Amino acid sequence: MNALHLNDFSLTAREAIAEARETVAGLHAELQRNDLVAWTAGNVSARVDLPQEAAQAAAEAAGQASGDVSGLFVIKPSGVSYDELEPGNMVVCTLDGVKIDDDTSIGLSPSSDTAAHAYVYRHMPHVGGVVHTHSSYATSWAARGESIPCVLTMMADEFGGDIPIGPFALIGDDSIGRGIVETLEASRSKAVLMDRHGPFTIGADARQAVKAAVLCEEVARTVHFARAYGDPQRIDQDQIDALYARYQNVYGQKDHA
Ligand SMILES: O=C(CO)[C@@H](O)[C@@H](O)COP(=O)(O)O
């Protein structure tokens, strides 16, 4: 555990951490509601942006000048039933993936995918939320090492093209995170199917990352059946680009100035 304690942070920072804990705890229910997880096999995290001075002050208060205290993220505790998840047991980590003294029980370890989430936050500054599931249809494409071809307008809308396959990597160090970042940096997709493991999704915030996980499973299922009974054709790239631009910039309720 890190020497940092919640009390080392300013009131403003502690309020931001508390808000992130509420959000992340609530979003795990969305994974269940959308049938994306069996047992505890999935996790959601959210970045907590801190003003640099707040992060530095906390580090100095903890007598810690080293380590990445430029921000924090909140992630679920490993292996805890979704029925027991609540804001108070959401684990707070530095961007190095190290738990701070966050008033959860000392014994509560962060998700086993914490290193992967942390790597994404360190290397993709625009990402505010990360989700990992083993949802059945997306994971069956991962098991085959096959990317999902962009044969649906919904895929063009949300993923801007195919949903790519990432490399096979073992859990426990930066390998998975590195594979996620390398794959997503080469694509517009918000989802990557890690080979023989399962989907990881990103978003500007945690709710957008959960949406990407829901839509990833939805299109994985639809294309699975389309391929079983036919030969669906990939949408032309210029049409994918037009669909993606509309959906990302026009769809829904935009703030009308
Ligand atoms: O696949 C694995 C472990 O192999 C994890 O993603 C999954 O079980 C969720 O683990 P956590 O409960 O988040 O530690």
Side-chain angles (χ1 to χ4, degrees), residues 28-124:
H28 281 86
E30 284 300 301
L31 301 186
Q32 285 184 300
R33 192 169 70 86
N34 287 277
D35 292 329
L36 300 184
V37 289
W39 202 244
T40 63
N43 40 67
V44 179
S45 72
R47 180 196 298 267
V48 182
D49 277 324
L50 296 177
Q52 182 55 35
E53 60 276 8
Q56 200 54 47
E60 286 161 8
Q64 175 200 38
S66 64
D68 184 344
V69 290
S70 60
L72 300 169
F73 69 97
V74 170
I75 194 165
K76 79 161 202 185
S78 181
V80 175
S81 167
Y82 289 97
D83 298 340
E84 296 171 26
L85 295 181
E86 57 183 14
N89 60 25
M90 293 296 111
V91 180
V92 185
C93 297
T94 64
L95 295 189
D96 294 317
V98 178
K99 172 178 178 173
I100 74 167
D101 187 350
D102 57 10
D103 291 343
T104 55
S105 123
I106 298 290
L108 270 188
S109 300
S111 165
S112 39
D113 294 297
T114 296
H117 290 237
Y119 191 95
V120 172
Y121 288 127
R122 291 198 305 274
H123 293 84
M124 303 185 89

Side-chain angles (χ1 to χ4, degrees), residues 150 152-163 188-191 201-203 207-216 219 240 243-245 247-248 251:
C150 187
L152 297 171
T153 57
M154 176 187 273
M155 291 191 67
D157 288 347
E158 175 71 7
F159 302 104
D162 302 353
I163 296 179
R188 284 187 301 208
S189 178
K190 299 185 184 75
T201 62
I202 60 174
R207 184 168 182 80
Q208 289 299 313
V210 168
K211 174 187 175 185
V214 171
L215 297 188
C216 177
V219 301
I240 291 174
L243 286 161
Y244 183 67
Y247 189 77
Q248 299 300 318
Y251 174 79

